[in-house]
Amino acid sequence: MECFKIGFIEGDGTGKDIWKASKLVFDEAFRKVYNNSKIIEWVELLAGVKAFKEYGDYLPQKTLDDIKFLKIAIKGPLETPIGEGFRSLNVTLRQYFDLYACIRPVKYYQGVPNPMKNPEKLDVVIFRENTEDLYAGIEWSAGSKEALMLLDFLKDKYSVDLPKDSGLGIKPISREKSYRIVRRAIQFALDNRRKSVTIVHKGNIMKYTEGAFRKWGYEIAEKEFKEHICLEKDIQQGKIILKDRIADAMFQQLLLRPDEYDVIVTPNLNGDYLSDACAAQVGGLGIAPGANIGDEIAIFEATHGSAPKYANLNKVNPGSLILSGVMMFEYIGESEVASIIEKAFQKAILSKKVTYDLARQMDGAVEVSCSSFAENVCSLM
Ligand code: NAP
């Protein structure tokens, strides 16, 4: 029997429930495809509250070492305190392993309740730069020694006079890191026969960060993909259209003309906002998957957080983690496993036996628990 190892982080809050449900689905899909001739050995990696209880550390070195060794992991959500306390473990993982591409596909599954007239028109894959921008974690609280020194420096050197009680954050966006995320988005568009790549930025206001991201995006496309790319003003049959949009306008575009967009590539903060907004258009965070991918290591995760108010109630939708698993299986070349999970997931939605988030918006739906939803997916494979 062939066996291979994948790491998992259960996560905080609802993580425990959605991981248990998702694992059931993943193992069943493997059984269906390989009839036990190949299995996954799930290796638990401790992080978050569970790790703190065991090791007194929210992200133990052993977890980092294990991820480095395994190269592939899937994780539930991890809590982050707001405005104080430790730094986001999610951001730390992305930066530690240089998982520079946060990839979030957003498409409609038939039958999912949603606020749009034609939700099926949205079918995008968002490439969010994951390591730079305001998420780089370079910030100082108001009144701190560092903030006061930087305020003095800005005043002395550049005559920039800011209020003394300002908190400060730095927004780095570099050419190399812009190149690599745009390169990855264009390569994905080519490999998957997508129609266009849209660079989303706020370069009209933040000229030397977001504006530079746009400029470098066009630059790398010209350097490395010249024969595969065309511009909006000169559309050529069979080539990928490279275009750009200002971030605020893009929110409107995705609502009003979603079918004009396909692959989207954008700096960190825009990508965070855009992916939640897109997820809402097709039915919400409960079914929004994601992946954080570097050159060697990939960590797959639900887009949503730990929803602590629902922790241990066996209530929330495990769909986002199940679909993150679909991405993971595609990534490791198990496309048949990925495909039967996705098809069974679609059938489970159409059966109208769904978790509270979908049931409350669906006519004639039966509300089921997190684990029952997963069992239904398994029975429909
Ligand atoms: P959240 O956990 O994403 O929950 C916000 C709301 O989204 C929930 O109240 C619920 O809506 C809905 N929701 C989330 N997960 C769902 C699921 N599986 N099924 C159905 N609905 C779901 O956001 P938050 O409350 O702002 O954040 C909680 C914690 O998670 C924070 O510590 C935050 O830092 C962390 N977080 C972690 C990650 C990550 O690990 N990658 C990402 C984001 C946030 P209703 O109330 O309408 O039912």
Side-chain angles (χ1 to χ4, degrees):
M1 185 206 301
E2 196 184 332
C3 167
F4 69 96
K5 294 183 180 187
I6 298 180
F8 76 91
I9 293 173
E10 191 177 84
D12 298 324
T14 50
K16 193 173 175 182
D17 287 342
I18 60 172
W19 167 249
K20 213 169 143 195
S22 303
K23 180 180 176 299
L24 197 74
V25 170
F26 301 155
D27 286 338
E28 180 61 15
F30 247 75
R31 247 191 307 278
K32 281 273 173 331
V33 173
Y34 290 108
N35 195 18
N36 289 328
S37 65
K38 188 173 182 182
I39 59 164
I40 309 168
E41 183 186 330
W42 298 104
V43 180
E44 177 153 24
L45 311 163
L46 292 184
V49 175
K50 204 169 172 181
F52 191 75
K53 281 186 186 153
E54 194 142 323
Y55 293 107
D57 187 351
Y58 286 97
L59 191 56
Q61 186 60 41
K62 179 172 180 349
T63 294
L64 298 172
D65 294 344
D66 285 350
I67 295 175
K68 197 168 175 189
F69 173 74
L70 293 165
K71 298 205 169 5
I72 304 284
I74 184 160
K75 67 175 272 296
L78 293 167
E79 273 168 30
T80 311
I82 299 171
E84 56 182 7
F86 62 85
R87 187 150 181 246
S88 163
L89 303 176
N90 306 299
V91 174
T92 306
L93 280 170
R94 291 167 196 165
Q95 291 192 341
Y96 185 87
F97 292 112
D98 198 22
L99 307 176
Y100 59 89
C102 176
I103 306 175
R104 292 180 170 170
V106 187
K107 69 177 180 188
Y108 177 63
Y109 287 93
Q110 222 191 327
V112 175
N114 69 86
M116 305 301 288
K117 274 192 194 151
N118 300 109
E120 70 288 348
K121 286 190 176 177
L122 186 75
D123 181 2
V124 295
V125 181
I126 299 170
F127 280 72
R128 162 189 174 197
E129 204 291 326
N130 229 358
T131 62
E132 293 198 298
D133 199 354
L134 290 164
Y135 281 63
I138 312 165
E139 55 173 10
W140 297 282
S141 59
S144 64
K145 192 176 85 206
E146 295 84 354
L148 291 172
M149 277 172 70
L150 193 49
L151 286 167
D152 283 345
F153 177 82
L154 290 171
K155 191 172 173 191
D156 292 349
K157 292 281 181 201
Y158 300 111
S159 307
V160 174
D161 196 3
L162 297 171
K164 279 278 182 227
D165 55 359
S166 302
L168 295 176
I170 290 192
K171 178 183 173 84
I173 291 196
S174 67
R175 185 174 57 196
E176 276 313 311
K177 292 184 176 177
S178 302
Y179 274 1
R180 69 179 179 174
I181 187 74
V182 178
R183 179 188 291 123
R184 192 143 199 162
I186 297 177
Q187 191 59 54
F188 172 88
L190 276 170
D191 294 344
N192 293 278
R193 297 171 179 275
R194 308 290 295 216
K195 291 193 289 290
S196 67
V197 175
T198 306
I199 302 169
V200 177
H201 59 88
K202 191 71 189 160
N204 53 333
I205 305 299
M206 292 169 268
K207 296 179 194 302
Y208 308 121
T209 50
E210 302 245 341
F213 182 85
R214 170 186 176 273
K215 182 179 90 172
W216 290 325
Y218 281 108
E219 213 167 84
I220 194 69
E222 166 78 12
K223 269 190 196 169
E224 297 183 8
F225 299 95
K226 199 174 173 32
E227 64 277 27
H228 301 292
I229 291 285
C230 64
L231 301 180
E232 248 176 325
K233 60 178 184 332
D234 175 29
I235 292 178
Q236 294 169 35
Q237 200 69 27
K239 292 198 176 181
I240 291 167
I241 305 164
L242 182 64
K243 51 192 174 182
D244 75 279
R245 295 289 182 271
I246 291 176
D248 42 343
M250 186 64 174
F251 279 88
Q252 169 180 278
Q253 291 276 308
L254 283 169
L255 281 168
L256 300 179
R257 286 151 49 190
D259 47 351
E260 290 178 21
Y261 298 93
D262 197 332
V263 175
I264 291 167
V265 59
T266 185
N268 214 331
L269 184 60
N270 299 333
D272 200 5
Y273 294 157
L274 263 184
S275 45
D276 276 26
C278 287
Q281 280 179 234
V282 294
L285 279 177
I287 56 164
N292 299 295
I293 299 183
D295 287 330
E296 277 190 32
I297 291 170
I299 301 181
F300 297 79
E301 65 172 352
T303 296
H304 61 69
S306 56
K309 66 181 174 184
Y310 298 121
N312 299 316
L313 298 181
N314 190 20
K315 185 177 173 76
V316 296
N317 194 334
S320 52
L321 200 57
I322 293 175
L323 294 174
S324 301
V326 168
M327 290 179 77
M328 177 177 75
F329 290 123
E330 271 163 7
Y331 181 83
I332 61 175
E334 295 289 350
S335 23
E336 201 181 339
V337 175
S339 168
I340 68 164
I341 297 175
E342 195 177 18
K343 283 184 186 143
F345 175 81
Q346 170 66 85
K347 285 188 206 162
I349 300 283
L350 290 174
S351 77
K352 294 198 170 188
K353 290 181 196 155
V354 288
T355 44
Y356 83 98
D357 52 319
L358 303 184
R360 68 187 169 188
Q361 305 173 63
M362 233 182 209
D363 287 336
V366 176
E367 183 181 326
V368 297
S369 66
C370 176
S371 57
S372 303
F373 180 80
E375 284 157 16
N376 193 26
V377 173
C378 292
S379 72
L380 292 166
M381 276 177 199

